[in-house]
Amino acid sequence: LIDRQNNQPISAQNVVVAYVVHDDYLKNGRYNIVDILLDMSGPAYIFRDGQGYEVRWSRPVLESVLTLTDLNGNPFPFKQGSTWFQIIGQTSLWGHDSGVWRFESRIP
């Protein structure tokens, strides 16, 4: 991704890829409206310092803050700096080979 303000690549110290339920609503026989449901929990991955970590995201109610924990339920430590969140559908695919992670975002 390129920042249109300065034509530089967008960078972040932390990158979060979260699997989230997407609800589709039909309009005129087509899926035109997608509701991203962030008042629950689900799997996610955090990338920082060249490493990927499996975590869980949680937001029990819309008024609460989204939290990320390791698989034991402990808060996951972010690296100081900016964080990029990428929300993808629960049916999305992922793969990891030779240090390269690839996500294919899919929503039903």
Side-chain angles (χ1 to χ4, degrees):
L1 297 172
I2 302 295
D3 186 331
R4 294 175 80 186
Q5 294 292 323
N6 60 18
N7 287 327
Q8 297 296 314
I10 293 175
S11 65
Q13 285 69 35
N14 308 284
V15 175
V16 177
V17 179
Y19 285 78
V20 178
V21 173
H22 290 61
D23 272 348
D24 296 321
Y25 296 95
L26 284 173
K27 182 177 180 184
N28 300 327
R30 298 179 58 204
Y31 291 108
N32 289 348
I33 301 170
V34 177
D35 188 12
I36 299 172
L37 305 177
L38 283 170
D39 57 343
M40 50 183 58
S41 64
Y45 290 89
I46 295 178
F47 299 91
R48 65 156 208 238
D49 297 323
Q51 299 292 316
Y53 304 90
E54 188 175 357
V55 297
R56 301 239 357 127
W57 68 269
S58 178
R59 187 175 179 212
V61 295
L62 288 176
E63 294 77 22
S64 62
V65 174
L66 188 142
T67 59
L68 294 156
T69 58
D70 65 22
L71 298 180
N72 294 321
N74 302 310
F76 189 87
F78 281 83
K79 184 173 183 177
Q80 187 174 6
S82 60
T83 300
W84 179 272
F85 277 84
Q86 183 67 46
I87 304 299
I88 60 178
Q90 286 189 314
T91 59
S92 298
L93 304 175
W94 71 274
H96 178 254
D97 185 29
S98 301
V100 175
W101 291 74
R102 180 176 178 84
F103 291 86
E104 184 180 318
S105 183
R106 294 183 176 185
I107 56 174

